[in-house]
Amino acid sequence: MARPASNLHLQPKNGGWRARVLVPVELQAKLGKKLFHTPVWRVSKSEAAVLAYPEVQKFEALIENARSGKYCSAIEVETQASARPLVPSFQLRGVRNDARETTFTKLIEEWARKKRINNPQTRGRAVTHFQRLAEFLGHDNGADVTSHDIVRFEKHLETTPDPRTGKLRHPNTVLGYLWSFRGVFTIAVKQILIDTNPMDNVVVGSKIESKRQAYSVEQVTLILTRAQATTDDIFLSLLTEAYTGCRISEIVDCSTLDFNFVRNGDRERVIPGQWFLFIGEDHREPGCTTKGHTTRYAPLHPEVAKRLIPYMEKQVAEHGHGPLFRHLPKDKNGKRSTYVARKIDEWMDGVIKDPNLAPNHSFRHYLKSELLARDVPERISDAITGHKTPGIGRKYEHVPMSKMFDAIGKLPVIRLQAA
């Protein structure tokens, strides 16, 4: 009886087993493949190990010959599949599933399943990226995509204007495409849907750091003073951002039920006479996700509470619980914050026009900077803004709500007209 193959060479596949041997990176160009493998045998693991042993020896001999210079590229290798193969025997060339099983849609579905991608926006972004790739290539078969195809598409993205804006894409936008491709194709290879990862030979750079700066106290005062003369959705959103550092979507897309909401009965969060905003997806409408950001409780400064809470209570009295700004239009994903963010962008041009300032995001820079200037520990300021403090041990720390209220109490008070 032949000696059984090592478990390292056996791989479960379609209800059976096959043997495979990875080709060393330095020999892949010479051998023309990254992987040697047999057809699939529908037998027990122990029987497959016996069948695999001679085939593994052949594969390793080819690799050794290539390493020693004895390899002849004209030699063809065909493995025997006498033990009822699940797929027909063919000349060794790697995985070749039915094209219907390797469409971009199928690969994305498997990636989302394996990585537990529940956020529709994350999944939708991958779908959009692969749709653009399919349009560029003229097909959507993941098994036929090569590294050369990816590089060509990358250059296309870098050199052609985005049809939506008419402008060249930001380098980070192009990186987003490459990250999507790498994530999906990596899972496809590990799940034996495709043989090789076209991203293996593609260099994916690092994200360009933002040049956004923080607002000054004077700029925040100017913004909030003028915003008082605008609509509630603009003023209350900017006011909340200034004192909590929350993202525009975290306030605009929230529910009236998120105010002083305590998840899992954690009553320690409740401080008599104080208001906080729960930032999570428990009460939000479909599509109004928090993009996987940290679920947290954002303390509301008295300057925010005395204006935002009466507005919230009025909405509940008139319409019952639901979206805080229910009258605003939604985008295709169901988010109202897209509309408000656009309104603020346009409105801010008449207040402060500086390319280094982001109308909404600079409030996060402002809050972090002001808290740092007042010696608030980073762990506490991170808990307020939802940033992740480095260090595995930080997962076991829970910042008391009282500490967060103490921190925002140190922020400069922007004097506004009476509410």
Side-chain angles (χ1 to χ4, degrees), residues 106-151:
K106 289 286 188 179
L107 300 190
I108 292 171
E109 288 177 354
E110 182 63 10
W111 163 75
R113 184 192 70 82
K114 195 66 178 176
K115 301 294 287 185
R116 296 185 177 89
I117 305 296
N118 298 318
N119 190 322
Q121 287 183 295
T122 302
R123 185 166 179 163
R125 183 165 54 247
V127 169
T128 298
H129 290 167
F130 274 87
Q131 285 176 344
R132 300 292 176 269
L133 178 62
E135 293 168 1
F136 177 78
L137 297 177
H139 71 82
D140 70 341
N141 188 353
D144 290 337
V145 179
T146 66
S147 299
H148 181 64
D149 292 333
I150 298 295
V151 172

Side-chain angles (χ1 to χ4, degrees), residues 337-396:
S337 54
T338 303
Y339 169 77
V340 177
R342 189 179 301 115
K343 277 180 65 177
I344 290 175
D345 282 348
E346 296 171 354
W347 175 81
M348 195 71 79
D349 282 343
V351 182
I352 298 175
K353 201 164 187 176
D354 186 332
N356 294 319
L357 294 172
N360 292 293
H361 205 75
S362 285
F363 279 114
R364 289 174 67 77
H365 293 257
Y366 162 77
L367 187 96
K368 290 282 287 186
S369 300
E370 291 299 322
L371 292 179
L372 177 63
R374 287 156 179 78
D375 298 322
V376 173
E378 181 185 21
R379 183 68 185 93
I380 296 177
S381 66
D382 283 346
I384 294 171
T385 59
H387 288 108
K388 293 182 179 179
T389 305
I392 189 66
R394 299 303 190 186
K395 294 182 179 181
Y396 300 92

Side-chain angles (χ1 to χ4, degrees), residues 64-77:
E64 184 56 36
N65 287 340
R67 184 178 281 116
S68 62
K70 299 178 182 178
Y71 174 75
C72 176
S73 60
I75 295 177
E76 295 180 346
V77 179

Side-chain angles (χ1 to χ4, degrees), residues 5-22 35-45 48-49 51-53 55-56 59 79 86-87 90 92-97 188-195:
S6 165
N7 285 339
L8 294 175
H9 296 303
L10 282 178
Q11 180 184 46
K13 173 71 175 175
N14 294 340
W17 296 89
R18 73 174 183 178
R20 72 171 187 172
V21 175
L22 297 176
L35 176 77
F36 287 127
H37 74 80
T38 66
V40 177
W41 297 299
R42 186 178 288 172
V43 296
S44 67
K45 184 177 181 181
L51 293 169
Y53 181 70
E55 309 304 333
V56 169
F59 298 153
T79 62
L86 193 61
V87 294
F90 52 86
L92 190 66
R93 56 175 297 182
V95 178
R96 192 67 188 179
N97 288 312
V189 170
K190 291 182 177 180
Q191 295 301 103
I192 324 297
L193 290 173
I194 59 176
D195 190 29

Side-chain angles (χ1 to χ4, degrees), residues 220-234:
V220 172
T221 301
L222 175 63
I223 291 169
L224 296 183
T225 300
R226 292 198 183 180
Q228 276 193 289
T230 65
T231 55
D232 288 329
D233 53 295
I234 289 182

Side-chain angles (χ1 to χ4, degrees), residues 210-285:
S210 170
K211 296 181 180 179
R212 293 166 180 162
Q213 298 177 356
Y215 287 126
S216 65
V217 175
E218 293 73 24
Q219 288 172 325
V220 172
T221 301
L222 175 63
I223 291 169
L224 296 183
T225 300
R226 292 198 183 180
Q228 276 193 289
T230 65
T231 55
D232 288 329
D233 53 295
I234 289 182
F235 172 60
L236 294 176
S237 297
L238 293 174
L239 180 67
T240 307
E241 289 181 82
Y243 283 100
T244 66
C246 70
R247 301 170 178 86
I248 185 68
S249 62
E250 291 173 340
I251 175 62
V252 174
D253 294 324
C254 79
S255 165
T256 56
L257 290 168
D258 290 328
F259 291 90
N260 277 12
F261 167 73
V262 179
R263 177 188 273 182
N264 300 326
D266 185 6
R267 305 308 300 176
E268 293 181 3
R269 298 287 179 180
V270 178
I271 298 178
Q274 301 281 23
W275 285 91
F276 60 81
L277 176 67
F278 171 75
I279 298 177
E281 299 179 4
D282 297 50
H283 301 125
R284 292 175 177 243
E285 291 184 314

